[in-house]
């Protein structure tokens, strides 16, 4: 985007069926594709990012959302699939349509309003600490078993 020439869109994750050689011109578009990354690379990317975008249709929870929130990062997910139930729109992230334009608009909203992004990231972190720690999940699990 011309308003953010220093911004770099990084696509990271497992390659799966995707052929990373399919888009060799991405480097010219301020976009990098990193596949089959190590845990250390993932940590570095999460620490460096301004926003995490998870546009997957098949994630049921997306642990990477909690990993981003624990770093105070805002997240963007799409309204398609289960992730829209995990993110509270405009509170700890954005829920947008699964279209390139909507994803771009969401990223621009966070880049143009860094205070809002920081607030969403802080809310996400608070939510993880309050409801998504292993202690909390374990207590819920034990409670659920007690009712069986």
């Amino acid at each position: 985007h011309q308003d953010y020439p220093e911004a770099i869109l990084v696509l990271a994750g497992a390659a799966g069926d995707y052929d990373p050689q399919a888009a060799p011109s991405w480097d010219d578009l301020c976009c990098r594709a990193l596949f089959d990354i190590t845990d250390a690379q993932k940590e570095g990317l999460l620490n460096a990012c301004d926003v995490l975008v998870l546009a997957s249709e098949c994630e049921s929870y997306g642990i990477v959302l909690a990993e981003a929130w624990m770093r105070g990062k805002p997240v963007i997910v799409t309204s398609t699939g289960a992730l829209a139930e995990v993110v509270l729109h405009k509170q700890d992230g954005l829920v947008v349509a699964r279209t390139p334009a909507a994803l771009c608009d969401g990223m621009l909203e966070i880049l143009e309003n860094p205070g809002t992004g920081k607030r969403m990231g802080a809310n996400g972190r608070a939510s993880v600490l309050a409801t998504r720690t292993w202690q909390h999940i374990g207590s819920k699990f034990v409670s659920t078993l007690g009712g069986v």
Side-chain angles (χ1 to χ4, degrees), residues 54 56-63 65 80-87:
L54 186 56
S56 174
E57 290 181 296
C58 14
E59 295 279 345
S60 60
Y61 173 69
I63 193 74
L65 296 176
T80 305
L83 295 176
E85 301 299 319
V86 176
V87 175

Side-chain angles (χ1 to χ4, degrees), residues 28 32 87 117 130 136 145 148:
D28 296 335
R32 306 288 182 272
V87 175
H136 183 266
L145 286 179
V148 175

Side-chain angles (χ1 to χ4, degrees), residues 24-121:
S25 64
W26 283 3
D27 284 347
D28 296 335
L29 300 173
C30 297
C31 184
R32 306 288 182 272
L34 304 173
F35 296 104
D36 298 324
I37 61 173
T38 66
D39 287 341
Q41 288 172 310
K42 179 177 84 168
E43 297 291 322
L45 290 169
L46 286 169
N47 288 331
C49 76
D50 292 309
V51 58
L52 174 85
V53 180
L54 186 56
S56 174
E57 290 181 296
C58 14
E59 295 279 345
S60 60
Y61 173 69
I63 193 74
V64 73
L65 296 176
E67 292 172 328
W69 281 327
M70 284 304 294
R71 290 166 174 80
K73 306 295 181 168
V75 302
I76 299 173
V77 299
T78 65
S79 55
T80 305
L83 295 176
E85 301 299 319
V86 176
V87 175
L88 297 174
H89 183 63
K90 300 243 181 202
Q91 291 181 40
D92 53 21
L94 299 176
V95 179
V96 301
R98 193 169 190 271
T99 66
L103 289 164
C104 183
D105 288 347
M107 288 183 275
L108 287 173
E109 182 174 339
I110 299 227
L111 289 174
E112 291 171 355
N113 301 288
T116 298
K118 286 186 189 315
R119 179 186 52 78
M120 284 189 237

